[in-house]
Amino acid sequence: MARPSNTEERRQQIVEGLLRVMAERGYERASIAEIAKAAGLSPGLVHYHFTEKQEILLTLVEQLAGRVRERVKARLERVKGGARAQVDAFLDAFLATGEDADPASVAAWVTISAEAVRQPEVRAAYEKVVRADLEHLEALVGAVIGRRRARAVAAGLFAAVQGYFVLSTAAPGLTPPGSAAGTVKRMAAGLLDAAESPEGT
């Protein structure tokens, strides 16, 4: 594998700098000077590699999406069992704690969702990511209960995932530590059971 170029390394440092600042202070308070400081670079280098702060943010959206998709892929590859186990693995990838948990990225994602309300360019990038993730979950749910009913169940589960992200960031301590994945998987089991029952058809 080729070594990343100096430009790629610097851009990555800057994106990580934004992530760290956003996780602690939000996007509004993430000045170029603060991002540069967190990245261990000069503000001039930040401006050299990115035309504006929003460009860094949009790059971060893509990178966070890539990270979680890698986590989903790894969990799905390890699944032993059928379609229900794949739904659980998907939910684990988003919510389970462990060595690969990344609270700073979750906090940054919550900030990105808030910026999506304010900035059309961020909204477009955010929607593209969540739409793709929701469609992936919908396909997994559809393998259990059929495509016709999968959208509503998948949307409910995905909303619960995003809700846990917001609560863990905005009101830490409100939910029991480590409870998110287990709770949402139990919700999934209940919704899937109801959809599979004769009354759910």
Side-chain angles (χ1 to χ4, degrees):
M1 178 185 268
R3 188 185 183 311
S5 73
N6 194 313
T7 296
E8 289 169 350
E9 286 181 7
R10 292 287 174 263
R11 285 176 62 87
Q12 187 58 42
Q13 280 178 266
I14 294 163
V15 171
E16 289 294 329
L18 175 62
L19 187 152
R20 284 193 293 278
V21 175
M22 274 179 48
E24 293 176 12
R25 298 184 200 109
Y27 180 72
E28 275 300 309
R29 295 178 59 196
S31 66
I32 293 296
E34 288 292 322
I35 295 165
K37 183 178 176 184
L41 301 169
S42 71
L45 270 175
V46 174
H47 285 296
Y48 176 79
H49 290 287
F50 291 94
T51 56
E52 60 185 2
K53 187 170 79 165
Q54 187 188 70
E55 185 185 356
I56 308 169
L57 181 64
L58 293 172
T59 303
L60 179 59
V61 171
E62 292 173 14
Q63 288 191 7
L64 290 177
R67 289 178 193 179
V68 79
R69 288 178 184 149
E70 284 298 315
R71 195 174 186 205
V72 168
K73 181 180 174 189
R75 300 276 171 126
L76 290 175
E77 286 173 353
R78 292 195 305 259
V79 166
K80 304 284 189 261
R84 277 187 177 235
Q86 291 203 336
V87 172
D88 284 350
F90 181 97
L91 296 172
D92 269 338
F94 276 83
L95 294 170
T97 54
E99 285 183 19
D100 60 346
D102 190 355
S105 290
V106 171
W109 188 252
V110 170
T111 302
I112 289 165
S113 67
E115 288 304 310
V117 175
R118 298 172 2 111
Q119 300 184 49
E121 297 88 349
V122 178
R123 180 180 306 123
Y126 175 84
E127 184 178 347
K128 180 180 174 186
V129 169
V130 296
R131 182 181 302 279
D133 291 338
L134 177 56
E135 287 172 355
H136 188 182
L137 179 58
E138 183 180 352
L140 296 173
V141 168
V144 179
I145 62 173
R147 292 291 276 173
R148 189 172 57 83
R149 291 170 291 158
R151 172 52 66 103
V153 172
L157 294 173
F158 201 71
V161 168
Q162 299 299 315
Y164 263 107
F165 287 169
V166 171
L167 286 176
S168 69
T169 300
L174 195 61
T175 57
S179 67
T183 301
V184 178
K185 288 194 298 188
R186 285 191 295 279
M187 288 172 60
L191 289 167
L192 295 173
D193 286 346
E196 286 182 317
S197 73
E199 295 83 26
T201 56

